[in-house]
């Protein structure tokens, strides 16, 4: 017989227009999703003596209700919808909330990670920034298409048409300049010195009214999103300063004044003053950029998704499982679906992106590990396994303070060879042979 662990527990099913509350021994109550109705739902739960509430993480509908209930002193559990799947049968909102309440009362649900207010604010700005970067990149492609349709081939000469030289040329074209020599003079001196002949040929285009119109539209849209990114950076700067001031008021701020030289951020660098210093103060001196592939920008992204307190995941295995990086378990011998879970936290995707760049590196041990696995199991498994190793190092650094030193590929290869030698020695011993080192005869 299963024993109830929570006597005063409620379950909530959240929809776009209504929420449904289930309390044991009471009829299911329905409330609309306006703020006034959320407050009435809170008062009802308190009036019947509810102490803890479970609700599914449905889109963003749960956010305000979660905050209202938490502020009232209730123990609110946000749970993954995959944990509340019912047995086969007709699915209704009433049955859903009752099922959530029953599972919660027996302690069969796990709590989702919900960041604190400081992290939630930075997460909002950072995710908005990433959206603007993606949209801006789309308009860069549109500019490239418009130039190609007019046979202006600067993309074949310079790597980025949205760099300083490319933007200067596009702006001049839209203002009416058509002379290739004058457009070339707007380029960086290195382009003029090394690629002037190619650039002059690339700038001799066949201009059309429709092409110029499309180019102008894409250019203005690109500039619009670049300005939005700058505004997000300002908000991130202000939020980081407030967070550090809050830590200082709570006497949990570390005395980090001098910041060592930081790793360069190659793409989409945020315009945040002393970003590394802010992160070091938030993490009390633990520097994630000591780990391979992590810059201040990727560290900011991870902070926005996981916060600074990684103790919320009690072990590194819990952390990597939440990230969607844990290996699959198929021990029964039966054929099972190998599809990974559809929901992947953004933090897990960040680790995957870093792992992908590490596999292309020729100097880092994790990259050698990834390439070795890629040759055996394919790129997908290699990226996931490398990302998992990096996530474990990140958790150990932030929770246990374990330092990391990059020893390079040679050290990794020596360890691999030592493992092979131990395996060969063991196999030879089991079969009654003796392993003898190869002697070179001159």
């Amino acid at each position: 017989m299963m024993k109830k662990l929570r006597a005063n527990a409620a379950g909530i099913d959240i929809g776009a227009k209504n929420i449904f509350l289930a309390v044991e021994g009471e009829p299911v109550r329905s409330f609309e999703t306006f703020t006034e109705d959320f407050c009435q739902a809170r008062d009802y739960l308190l009036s019947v003596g509810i102490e803890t509430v479970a609700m599914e993480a449905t889109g963003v509908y749960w956010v305000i209700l979660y905050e209202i209930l938490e502020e009232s002193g209730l123990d609110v559990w946000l749970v993954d919808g995959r944990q509340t799947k019912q047995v086969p049968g007709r699915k209704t909102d009433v049955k859903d909330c009752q099922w959530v309440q029953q599972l919660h009362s027996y302690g069969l649900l796990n709590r989702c990670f919900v960041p604190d207010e400081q992290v939630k604010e930075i997460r909002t700005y950072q995710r908005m920034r990433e959206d603007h970067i993606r949209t801006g990149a789309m308009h860069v492609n549109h500019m490239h298409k418009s130039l190609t349709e007019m046979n202006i081939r600067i993309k074949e000469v310079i790597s980025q048409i949205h760099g300083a030289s490319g933007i200067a040329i596009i702006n001049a074209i839209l203002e009416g300049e058509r002379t290739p020599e004058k457009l070339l003079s707007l380029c960086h001196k290195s382009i003029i010195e090394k690629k002037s002949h190619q650039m002059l040929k690339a700038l001799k285009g066949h201009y059309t009214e429709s092409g110029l119109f499309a180019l102008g539209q894409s250019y203005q849209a690109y500039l619009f999103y670049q300005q939005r990114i700058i505004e997000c950076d300002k908000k991130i700067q202000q939020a980081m300063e407030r967070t550090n001031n809050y830590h200082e008021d709570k006497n949990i701020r570390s005395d980090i004044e001098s910041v060592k030289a930081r790793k360069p951020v190659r793409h989409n660098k945020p315009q945040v003053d002393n970003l590394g210093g802010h992160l070091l103060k938030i993490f009390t001196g633990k520097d994630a950029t000591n780990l391979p592939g992590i810059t201040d920008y990727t560290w900011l992204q991870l902070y926005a998704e996981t916060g600074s307190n990684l103790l919320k995941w009690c072990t590194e295995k819990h952390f990597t499982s939440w990230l969607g990086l844990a290996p699959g378990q198929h021990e029964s011998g039966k054929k099972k679906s190998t599809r990974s879970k559809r929901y992947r936290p953004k933090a897990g995707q960040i680790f995957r992106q870093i792992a992908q760049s590490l596999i292309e590196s020729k100097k880092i041990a994790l990259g050698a590990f990834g390439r070795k696995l890629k040759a055996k199991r394919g790129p997908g498994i290699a990226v996931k396994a490398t990302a998992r190793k990096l996530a474990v190092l990140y958790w150990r650094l932030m929770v246990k303070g374990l330092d990391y030193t990059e020893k390079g590929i040679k050290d990794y290869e020596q360890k691999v060879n030592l493992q092979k030698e131990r395996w060969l020695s063991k196999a030879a011993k089991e079969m009654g042979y003796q392993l003898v080192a190869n002697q070179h005869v001159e």
Side-chain angles (χ1 to χ4, degrees), residues 135-148:
T135 309
M138 179 181 67
H139 292 295
V140 170
N141 292 334
H142 291 167
M143 286 192 289
H144 173 52
K145 180 182 177 182
S146 301
L147 290 169
T148 303

Side-chain angles (χ1 to χ4, degrees), residues 101-367:
Q101 186 276 331
Q102 189 173 1
L103 291 175
H104 188 44
S105 64
Y106 282 102
L108 297 176
L109 300 176
N110 294 322
R111 193 195 298 259
C112 290
F113 168 68
V114 179
D116 57 35
E117 288 302 318
Q118 289 86 7
V119 176
K120 194 182 297 183
E121 181 183 8
I122 293 176
R123 173 188 283 188
T124 300
Y125 302 144
Q126 177 57 31
R127 287 185 176 180
M128 186 66 67
R129 186 181 196 274
E130 292 294 318
D131 288 341
H132 293 332
I133 290 172
R134 284 190 289 270
T135 309
M138 179 181 67
H139 292 295
V140 170
N141 292 334
H142 291 167
M143 286 192 289
H144 173 52
K145 180 182 177 182
S146 301
L147 290 169
T148 303
E149 287 177 345
M150 295 186 291
N151 209 37
I152 302 171
R153 298 284 182 169
I154 60 176
K155 182 66 172 65
E156 278 69 32
V157 182
I158 57 177
S159 59
Q160 294 180 339
I161 64 170
H162 57 291
S165 299
I167 290 297
I169 290 172
I170 291 172
N171 186 54
I173 289 173
L174 292 174
E175 289 180 353
E177 185 59 62
R178 300 289 182 268
T179 308
E181 288 77 12
K182 290 185 178 180
L183 293 174
L184 175 63
S185 66
L186 300 173
C187 296
H188 190 269
K189 61 180 182 179
S190 62
I191 297 176
I192 297 175
E193 292 172 359
K194 299 178 181 178
K195 301 180 179 180
S196 58
H197 177 68
Q198 289 177 291
M199 200 64 179
L200 285 172
K201 292 178 67 176
L203 290 169
K204 292 179 181 178
H206 182 73
Y207 296 94
T208 63
E209 184 177 351
S210 61
L212 290 170
F213 176 78
L215 179 63
Q217 292 274 298
S218 303
Y219 176 68
Q220 292 298 327
Y222 172 75
L223 293 182
F224 173 82
Y225 283 103
Q226 293 307 298
Q227 186 59 39
R228 303 290 80 75
I229 292 171
I230 292 173
E231 292 173 1
C232 289
D233 289 344
K234 290 179 180 178
K235 284 293 186 180
I236 291 173
Q237 171 98 39
Q238 295 168 4
M240 298 287 275
E241 290 173 352
R242 282 198 302 273
T243 299
N244 278 324
N245 290 335
Y246 171 81
H247 286 179
E248 187 177 33
D249 294 339
K250 297 294 183 180
N251 295 321
I252 57 176
R253 179 180 176 182
S254 63
D255 296 327
I256 309 293
E257 297 299 335
S258 60
V259 180
K260 68 176 185 179
R262 313 302 292 171
K263 290 180 182 177
V265 180
R266 295 181 60 189
H267 302 291
N268 304 316
K269 182 179 180 180
Q271 297 182 24
V272 177
D273 296 334
N274 194 24
L275 176 58
H278 283 301
L279 290 168
L280 284 170
K281 289 173 183 176
I282 290 172
F283 286 86
T284 61
K286 298 168 185 172
D287 192 352
T289 61
N290 289 334
L291 301 177
I294 296 183
T295 64
D296 286 332
Y297 182 41
T298 48
W299 192 11
L300 171 65
Q301 292 175 293
L302 290 172
Y303 168 60
E305 298 301 329
T306 63
S308 59
N309 181 18
L310 268 65
L311 280 171
K312 293 182 178 180
W313 296 274
C314 53
T315 68
E316 60 195 42
K317 291 184 178 180
H318 286 82
F319 184 55
T320 54
S321 176
W322 177 78
L323 292 171
L325 300 176
Q329 295 181 349
H330 305 293
E331 299 176 357
S332 65
K334 298 179 181 179
K335 289 186 178 181
K336 297 183 179 180
S337 172
T338 57
R339 289 185 308 168
S340 58
K341 61 182 184 181
R342 285 175 289 178
Y343 171 70
R344 290 180 178 176
K346 290 184 181 293
Q349 297 177 39
I350 295 168
F351 278 115
R352 286 173 185 265
Q353 291 169 2
I354 300 171
Q356 202 152 12
S357 65
L358 288 176
I359 291 175
E360 297 173 2
S361 170
K362 304 299 182 183
K363 299 181 180 179
I364 297 174
L366 271 178

